[in-house]
Amino acid sequence: MRQSRSAGDWAELGLPPERFHAAGQVLAGEVPAFLAACDVCLMPQPWTQFFAYFTSPLKLFEYMAAGRAILASDLPSFRECWPR
């Protein structure tokens, strides 16, 4: 299995590998269990015109509904969904 860049960054920081898990794509019915296991949910998107203005960040809504902490890129498309 190919190591993700995030896992490599995690390892470079000297953090224990058993505390990092990148699930990749999961079945819809499994999403609640995966979110319940998360301490922090990530939304790292690059600043491009597409991501900044033309996407609907569905994962953001799933993360909010699950009551998880969220670390997200500061993009206009994300900010307009954030509770004020």
Side-chain angles (χ1 to χ4, degrees):
M1 181 167 121
R2 184 174 80 76
Q3 185 180 32
S4 73
R5 179 176 165 216
S6 297
D9 292 345
W10 182 267
E12 285 180 18
L13 291 170
L15 299 168
E18 67 274 6
R19 299 288 296 160
F20 181 90
H21 180 74
Q25 186 173 1
V26 298
L27 297 173
E30 297 175 346
V31 170
F34 274 89
L35 291 180
C38 292
D39 295 317
V40 177
C41 296
L42 303 177
M43 294 279 301
Q45 301 297 342
W47 201 108
T48 65
Q49 189 170 4
F50 175 76
F51 284 114
Y53 300 107
F54 303 111
T55 62
S56 178
L58 296 178
K59 284 186 178 75
L60 182 64
F61 299 117
E62 290 179 349
Y63 296 167
M64 285 191 272
R68 307 322 296 163
I70 302 167
L71 181 60
S73 299
D74 185 16
L75 299 173
S77 61
F78 291 6
R79 271 188 261 128
E80 69 183 22
C81 301
W82 212 261
R84 302 209 192 282

